[in-house]
Amino acid sequence: AYSTKTHDLVVIGGGPAGYVAAIKAAQLGFDTACIEKRGKLGGTCLNVGCIPSKALLNNSLFYHQILTDSKNRGVDVDPKAVGLNFKNFMAAKEKVVNQLTGGVEMLFKKNKVTYYKGEGAFNSETEVMVKPVEGLKGTVEEEVMLKAKNILIATGSEVSPFPGITIDEERIVSSTGCLSLNEVPKRLAIIGGGIIGLEMGSVYNRLGSKVTVLEFQPKIGASMDDEVATTTQKLLKKQGINFKLQTKVMSATRNGDIVNIEMENAKTGEKESIEADVLLVAVGRRPYVQGLNAEKIGLEVDKKGRLVIDDKYSTKHPNIKVIGDVTFGPMLAHKAEEEGIAAVEIFKTGYGHVNYNNIPSVMYSHPEVAWAGKTEQELKADGIEYKVGKFPFIANSRAKTNQDTDGFVKILIDAKTERLLGAHIIGPNAGEMIAEAGLALEYGASAEDIARVCHAHPTLSEAFKEANMAAFDKPINF
Ligand code: FAD
């Protein structure tokens, strides 16, 4: 026995893709429902992703700077009097997660989005069954059949497993377990030198773990500009993180409280083994469609498990669209949110747009690393002629006053038109500064356009202006 409800639009998944789409749809006048099985809204991002990781990054930096950087600033701190209360450190993270997930629930109420706590599964092209989730507080009491003309799939992603390694979320953890450890591990090994691995490595390195990053590729940072990746590695190494590149992990086994990791040099085949107290497996994420019953309505999945869509986010059924991590494109929260808006606008008007050439990436290490547009290696591969402008933070007055001068801004412009093609920043507040590059890229600004905009003094963003000056002419302060 089940009840039946009808809505204009049903959204499956309440992450950044789904919750933003649901709110936007309600604002556009759709009677909208959102199904989420986690018990909390906000998806991976708010619960076990962007938000908790940034809380740990911020507070670990605070702790580390008190211990290592106070004296340089004329603040005497007795290191023996500074203690890490790890339980409260984790509680501070939990607090923001709860505030933000609760905030989304309030936004649903405010915008009159109907929220179903349960698991959604397709019954037909216009019907989704909501099933209660066992043990979940507030879950639907009985199955509810939702009928809707329009359906949006936003079921997100899950941690990719590493073949042969069993994640127990205690000693061998995914990012989820790593965000909720019970104590600071003496030795933390990380498989994967991508953004998630390096952010978690930064957190525990600051808290005193001996961190070793094991990466198969000859470089860290995945899609980062090569030069920036090299500098990032150098700076993280200076902070105490140990890197083993071109290293192929063969196996990892837990023996009591210790994890034994066997690996091989990818070039020489030389074997090596290390021990760790915790091993983080951070080799990426994969689309999540489990329980969705997508096959029942014939939805297509590609080799990487992504739901296949056209340029209007539509599956083979035009009334069923897909957005966020579960389909093509970078697995990023802001990309998912943009798609949420665009897909709903297409439902409403037939038109909606995301500029996939202008999706920023940020790594929230210290210093931060942020980029948008093309990398130098991409421009080379595409045979595009370009010019480079660089400006180091050591020559920026605000970075000097802040005693935070590592890094640089690197600007790539078209050799002829001098239009901005890419911006790569490693330095303090890079993640905020990249928004300026985003605006410039979106409106086709040239380096001179940017350089002629008056930037406040003294600010870090003057480094962005001067790197643009350097790209088409000369900087003033370097
Ligand atoms: P998700 O956030 O995964 O949400 C999907 C939701 O759908 C989930 O809550 C799931 O429970 C629900 N669901 C799935 N199937 C069903 C079903 N059948 N019925 C009901 N509900 C269902 N991105 C950034 O941009 N910046 C960052 O700093 C950043 N940091 C990250 C750090 C970590 C440690 C991790 C793991 C990820 C990070 N990300 C970051 C990536 C970001 O979290 C994702 O890109 C984003 O959450 C994708 O949003 P989504 O809505 O597509 O999917």
Side-chain angles (χ1 to χ4, degrees), residues 11-20 34-54 57 116-122 128-131 133 153-159 174-176 178-179 195-197 199-200 284-286 288-293 323-327 330-337 339 359-364:
V11 182
I12 311 173
Y19 96 69
V20 168
C34 182
I35 313 168
E36 172 56 61
K37 66 173 182 167
R38 186 188 292 272
K40 283 181 176 180
L41 293 167
T44 303
C45 173
L46 268 61
N47 290 285
V48 290
C50 330
I51 295 302
S53 60
K54 264 82 264 178
L57 277 157
Y116 292 95
K117 276 192 193 179
E119 183 178 35
F122 277 102
V128 181
M129 182 70 96
V130 187
K131 303 172 188 170
V133 174
I153 303 173
T155 49
S157 60
E158 63 177 348
V159 170
S174 71
S175 55
T176 303
C178 205
L179 289 166
I195 295 184
I196 293 178
E199 286 187 351
M200 295 318 299
R285 299 181 61 81
R286 63 181 184 190
Y288 182 82
V289 289
Q290 231 169 286
L292 187 62
N293 230 359
I323 52 172
D325 278 12
V326 72
T327 188
M331 288 188 171
L332 292 169
H334 41 279
K335 174 267 193 186
E337 294 178 11
E339 290 183 341
I359 309 269
S361 296
V362 182
M363 180 165 92
Y364 299 82

